[in-house]
Amino acid sequence: MVDVAQLAGVSSITVSRTLLTPELVTPATRRMVEKAIKQCGYIPNRVAGSLAANRSRTVAVIVPTISNSLFADTVQGITDLLEAHGYHVFLGTSNYDIKEEESLVSAFLERRADAMVLTGISHSPTTKKLLRNAGIPVVEMWNLTPRPIDMAIGFSNFEAARKMTLFLASRGYRKIGFLGGVTENNDRTRDRERGYLAALAELGIAAVENRIVRTPFDFPMGGTAIAALLSKSPSLDAVFAASDVLAIGAILECNRRGWPVPSKIAIAGMDDSPLGSQLSPKLTTVRIPRYGIGTVVGEHLIERLRGQASSKRIVDLGFEIVEREST
Amino acid sequence: MVDVAQLAGVSSITVSRTLLTPELVTPATRRMVEKAIKQCGYIPNRVAGSLAANRSRTVAVIVPTISNSLFADTVQGITDLLEAHGYHVFLGTSNYDIKEEESLVSAFLERRADAMVLTGISHSPTTKKLLRNAGIPVVEMWNLTPRPIDMAIGFSNFEAARKMTLFLASRGYRKIGFLGGVTENNDRTRDRERGYLAALAELGIAAVENRIVRTPFDFPMGGTAIAALLSKSPSLDAVFAASDVLAIGAILECNRRGWPVPSKIAIAGMDDSPLGSQLSPKLTTVRIPRYGIGTVVGEHLIERLRGQASSKRIVDLGFEIVEREST
DNA sequence: GCGCAAAATGTTAGCGCTATCATTTATGGG
DNA sequence: CCCATAAATGATAGCGCTAACATTTTGCGC
C-alpha cells in the first residue's frame, strides 16, 4: 500500500480512503490512486484491515449439510443480499452434529465474523454461551423459538407437520404412518414429529409406535423405510414423510414394487424439493420459503450490522400445503 | 491475551505458544495457561495471528454450485483432510460464471487464503494472473489439462464421454442423441460433448446437430430436453446425457409419457448421483470419484503447504462405466 | 557443585492496515 | 481580500498477535 501511495504521490491513508470511502476523496486524486493500484497489481490485505478496523465484513453461515440441496436456496438468498452490501459469506457444514457446529462457531468467532447464522434452534450450551458473549448479531433460521439466542427467522415445523397430517385426514386417510428423521440434534425433524403426533391426538387417533420409522435423510433410506413400515403395519393407507428426500425415495420404491400411489398408499412429503413435481405420481408436499428465509435473514443482519435495532426478533415466514397427485 | 498471561503469571508469548506449539511449553505451565484461558473465556484472534504470521491457515474452495449435490462430496473430502491438519475451508460458489469466480478469487486473496481450489480449467485471464502472482498452491479439479495454473486433479471428461458413447454403440445403439449442458464457461460439459463427438467420428457415424440439445442442469430441463430431442429426431434409439441430473429428468419424463426405457429409447447419464440407482429403470452412468478427488486435492495441498514440492502436478483419478437398466 | 547444552520462557519489533485527530487547502459571503 | 467554514489530505498510534532473537532455567555428567 505504501508503494501505491508513493506511485500516486499521496499518503497511504488516502489510498485506504479511496478503497473504503471513495466519496471522501477528490475525483482527480481517486483516479491517480486507482491507476497506481492497477499498475502495482496491489491486492489490499483485509486481514490487516480487519484487525485495524475491528470488523471483518464477513458473515458466517452454518447449515447441516450441502449434500441435500435443501439449504442451498437459503444460502443463496443470504449471499445475494449480503454481498450486495459488501459483506462476504463464509459457509460451514455441521453434518447435523452440535459438536461440529460448536467447533465451527469457535472457528468463525476466532476469525472475527461480524455476524453468525445457524440452522435450527438446538445448540450446545457452549455454542450458546459463546454467541451470547460474542456481542454480534446471531440468527437461528429454519425454525422458530420463543427464546432465540438473538433472532429467529423461519417457520413453525410443528405447525407445518400438524397441518399436513390434518390435511391427510381431511382427504379421508385414517391410518397415517410417519417417516421421520433422526431426531437427535435435529429440532426441525423433532418438531415435525411432534406436529404429526399432535394432529393425531386432535383427530382422536391413537399414535402407534410401529407406524413410525426414523431414518437418516437420503433417497435409498426412504425406500427401505416405507417397505419396513408397510411390512410392520400393512393396513396403513397414508404415510407422511418428514422430508421430501424420504418421500421421494418412498415413491420410487413403490414404483419399483408396483404398489400404486396413492391408491394403495398415499405419500406426502415436506420441503417442496424440485424433484417432487417431476415424479409419477407428483408429490404432495409442504412448500417452504427457502430462498425467502435467506433474504429475510440477510435484511435483518444488514439492519443490525448498521447498528439499528432489528425490527423484529422473531419472524414467521409461514408455509403452504401443495396438493399434487400422491395423496 | 495479555489478561490470560497475567492470570497465568506468564508472558503473552507463552500463551501464544501454548495454543500454537504446546510441545514447546512445560506441561505444568501449559495447564496453568489453559486454566486461565478457560477462566477468561479467551477467544484467540486469528485475524491478528494471520497478520503477524503471514498465513491464515485457511484454504478457499470455489465450486460452481451447491444446489446440485455433485460437488458436495468433493468439498467434504477436501474438508475432512484439511481440517485434520488444522486448516479451515472456506467455500464459495460461482454459479458457473467466470466473472463471479474472479471476484471470489479476489475476495479470498484479499483475505490471504493459504491455498486455493477451483473447479474446472476455464477461468478469466485476470483470475489466472492473480493466482500465478499470489504464490500460493492452486488446484484445478474435476478436469485435466496439460497446462494447469499449478496443479490439476480430476479425470478426463472427454475420455469419460467418449467411452460411454462407445459403450452405447457396443450395445447396438446407433442413433445416439446428446443432452448437453451449457458449454459456455463449463469446460467439463464442453469436454463431454467433444468426447461424444469424437466417439461418433470413430464409429463412422455422422454427427447431426438436431440430435444435440444443450440446457441448464436441472431435473425439469432434462424432461423438456428429451421431449424436444425426440420430436426433432423421432428415430433416436439412445440418448447420452452429460449429467445425471438431465438423465434423471429425462427418465422421469419418459415415465410420465409411458415411453419404455430402454426399449423405446435408452438413456445414459454421467456423475453417478445417488438417485440414479433408485429410479425405474436404474440409470446407466459413469461413476466419478467425487469424494476421492477431494481427498487427493487435500493431500496434495497439505504436502505443498508444508513446503514440499508436490509429487505430481497432474493427477488422473479415472472413472468407471456403471451399466444398469436404462441402456 | 560446576560447566555446558538443551529446554523453557521472555523481550522486542513489526505485520498492513484504519481510527483519530491535526493540518492544509478550497469555498464563498461580506 | 479576509475570515469562517467545509472539504481534502496527512501524521501518528495501535489493533492483537507471532517471528526472531535474547535470556533464564533445567538437567546431567563428572
Side-chain angles (χ1 to χ4, degrees):
Chain A
M1 183 182 244
V2 171
D3 304 344
V4 175
Q6 259 168 1
L7 199 88
V10 296
S11 73
S12 61
I13 185 70
T14 302
V15 176
S16 173
R17 270 197 277 257
T18 308
L19 260 28
L20 259 71
T21 48
E23 69 278 7
L24 294 183
V25 177
T26 310
T29 319
R30 203 188 307 168
R31 276 191 298 274
M32 299 248 59
V33 173
E34 278 158 1
K35 204 180 113 195
I37 286 176
K38 213 156 274 171
Q39 216 169 320
C40 293
Y42 168 68
I43 295 173
N45 185 332
R46 289 211 195 261
V47 175
S50 299
L51 180 61
N54 198 29
R55 56 197 288 253
S56 59
R57 292 166 180 277
T58 270
V59 172
V61 177
I62 301 175
V63 296
T65 177
I66 56 167
S67 293
N68 178 330
S69 69
L70 254 194
F71 301 105
D73 290 332
T74 303
V75 172
Q76 193 65 49
I78 298 176
T79 308
D80 287 351
L81 234 121
L82 290 180
E83 304 238 302
H85 286 84
Y87 283 86
H88 195 88
V89 172
F90 284 144
L91 189 60
T93 55
S94 69
N95 294 310
Y96 292 100
D97 177 336
I98 59 172
K99 273 295 166 195
E100 277 194 51
E101 180 185 70
E102 180 179 315
S103 87
L104 282 169
V105 167
S106 289
F108 285 128
L109 249 26
E110 288 175 4
R111 284 171 177 84
R112 294 301 185 261
D114 291 338
M116 187 101 51
V117 181
L118 307 180
T119 306
I121 53 175
S122 316
H123 317 288
S124 77
T126 310
T127 301
K128 290 188 194 174
K129 211 180 78 187
L130 283 172
L131 289 172
R132 282 190 218 278
N133 292 341
I136 58 174
V138 175
V139 176
E140 293 164 276
M141 63 177 185
W142 271 78
N143 207 352
L144 299 175
T145 169
R147 296 201 57 244
I149 297 175
D150 181 7
M151 292 178 273
I153 298 174
F155 61 96
S156 168
N157 287 267
F158 174 87
E159 277 304 321
R162 183 178 153 267
K163 286 274 169 61
M164 176 55 98
T165 310
L166 294 176
F167 168 84
L168 288 172
S170 79
R171 287 293 176 274
Y173 301 107
R174 274 297 171 276
K175 294 173 176 168
I176 304 172
F178 185 75
L179 238 59
V182 182
T183 52
E184 184 199 347
N185 296 336
N186 185 334
D187 49 84
R188 278 100 50 224
T189 204
R190 194 194 313 126
D191 285 359
R192 290 174 189 187
E193 186 171 325
R194 284 180 41 235
Y196 157 78
L197 293 171
L200 290 191
E202 282 176 54
L203 292 162
I205 302 176
V208 183
E209 181 58 36
N210 68 7
R211 289 187 182 165
I212 298 181
V213 169
R214 297 177 193 84
T215 161
F217 289 150
D218 66 34
F219 295 116
M221 288 313 296
T224 312
I226 195 158
L229 212 49
L230 284 176
S231 86
K232 285 199 295 184
S233 312
S235 63
L236 284 184
D237 53 14
V239 168
F240 171 32
S243 167
D244 273 6
V245 174
L246 295 182
I248 290 166
I251 287 185
L252 292 173
E253 177 73 21
C254 291
N255 288 350
R256 279 196 295 272
R257 298 198 180 216
W259 294 341
V261 177
S263 57
K264 175 181 164 63
I265 180 93
I267 296 179
M270 188 151 170
D271 296 334
D272 190 26
S273 52
L275 193 57
S277 59
Q278 302 298 308
L279 294 180
S280 317
K282 295 179 182 168
L283 180 64
T284 294
T285 189
V286 180
R287 179 172 300 147
I288 282 158
R290 296 192 300 261
Y291 186 83
I293 292 176
T295 52
V296 174
V297 167
E299 285 163 5
H300 280 250
L301 285 181
I302 291 295
E303 258 184 28
R304 287 285 296 276
L305 288 166
R306 282 194 180 138
Q308 297 157 16
S310 189
S311 31
K312 278 170 95 178
R313 292 188 55 216
I314 298 167
V315 183
D316 186 347
L317 262 25
F319 56 83
E320 182 193 350
I321 288 182
V322 182
E323 181 178 18
R324 289 197 284 237
E325 301 165 357
S326 70
T327 52
Chain B
M1 182 182 245
V2 171
D3 303 344
V4 175
Q6 259 169 0
L7 199 87
V10 297
S11 74
S12 59
I13 187 67
T14 302
V15 177
S16 173
R17 272 198 275 257
T18 308
L19 259 28
L20 259 71
T21 48
E23 68 278 9
L24 295 183
V25 177
T26 311
T29 319
R30 201 187 310 166
R31 274 192 299 275
M32 298 249 59
V33 172
E34 277 158 0
K35 204 180 115 196
I37 286 175
K38 211 156 275 170
Q39 214 168 323
C40 292
Y42 169 67
I43 295 172
N45 185 334
R46 289 212 195 259
V47 175
S50 299
L51 180 62
N54 197 31
R55 56 197 287 253
S56 59
R57 291 164 180 279
T58 270
V59 172
V61 177
I62 301 177
V63 294
T65 176
I66 55 167
S67 292
N68 178 328
S69 70
L70 254 196
F71 301 104
D73 290 332
T74 303
V75 172
Q76 192 66 49
I78 300 175
T79 308
D80 287 351
L81 233 120
L82 290 179
E83 304 238 303
H85 290 267
Y87 284 86
H88 196 88
V89 172
F90 284 144
L91 189 61
T93 57
S94 68
N95 294 311
Y96 292 99
D97 178 336
I98 60 172
K99 274 294 166 195
E100 276 194 53
E101 181 185 69
E102 181 180 315
S103 87
L104 282 169
V105 167
S106 288
F108 285 128
L109 248 27
E110 289 176 3
R111 284 173 177 81
R112 295 299 184 265
D114 291 338
M116 186 101 53
V117 180
L118 306 181
T119 306
I121 54 175
S122 316
H123 317 288
S124 77
T126 309
T127 301
K128 290 187 195 174
K129 211 181 77 187
L130 284 171
L131 288 173
R132 281 191 220 278
N133 293 342
I136 58 173
V138 176
V139 177
E140 292 165 275
M141 62 176 186
W142 270 78
N143 206 353
L144 299 175
T145 169
R147 295 199 58 243
I149 297 175
D150 181 8
M151 293 178 272
I153 297 173
F155 62 96
S156 168
N157 287 265
F158 173 87
E159 275 306 319
R162 182 178 153 267
K163 285 275 171 58
M164 176 56 98
T165 309
L166 293 176
F167 169 84
L168 288 172
S170 79
R171 286 295 176 275
Y173 301 107
R174 274 298 171 273
K175 296 174 175 168
I176 305 171
F178 185 73
L179 238 60
V182 181
T183 52
E184 184 200 348
N185 295 337
N186 185 335
D187 50 83
R188 276 103 47 228
T189 204
R190 193 195 312 127
D191 286 357
R192 290 175 189 187
E193 186 171 324
R194 284 180 41 234
Y196 158 77
L197 293 171
L200 290 190
E202 282 176 55
L203 293 162
I205 303 175
V208 183
E209 181 59 34
N210 68 7
R211 287 185 184 168
I212 299 181
V213 169
R214 297 177 193 82
T215 161
F217 289 151
D218 65 34
F219 295 117
M221 289 312 296
T224 312
I226 195 159
L229 212 49
L230 285 176
S231 86
K232 286 201 291 183
S233 313
S235 63
L236 284 184
D237 53 13
V239 169
F240 171 32
S243 168
D244 272 7
V245 175
L246 295 182
I248 290 166
I251 287 184
L252 292 172
E253 178 73 21
C254 291
N255 287 351
R256 279 196 296 271
R257 298 197 180 218
W259 293 342
V261 177
S263 56
K264 175 182 165 60
I265 180 93
I267 296 178
M270 188 151 168
D271 296 334
D272 190 26
S273 49
L275 192 57
S277 60
Q278 302 298 307
L279 294 180
S280 319
K282 294 178 183 169
L283 180 65
T284 293
T285 189
V286 181
R287 178 172 301 146
I288 283 157
R290 295 192 302 260
Y291 186 83
I293 292 177
T295 52
V296 174
V297 167
E299 285 162 6
H300 280 248
L301 285 180
I302 290 297
E303 255 183 31
R304 288 285 296 277
L305 288 165
R306 281 195 182 138
Q308 297 158 15
S310 190
S311 30
K312 278 168 96 179
R313 292 188 56 215
I314 298 167
V315 184
D316 186 347
L317 263 23
F319 55 84
E320 182 193 349
I321 288 181
V322 182
E323 181 177 17
R324 289 197 283 237
E325 301 164 355
S326 69
T327 52

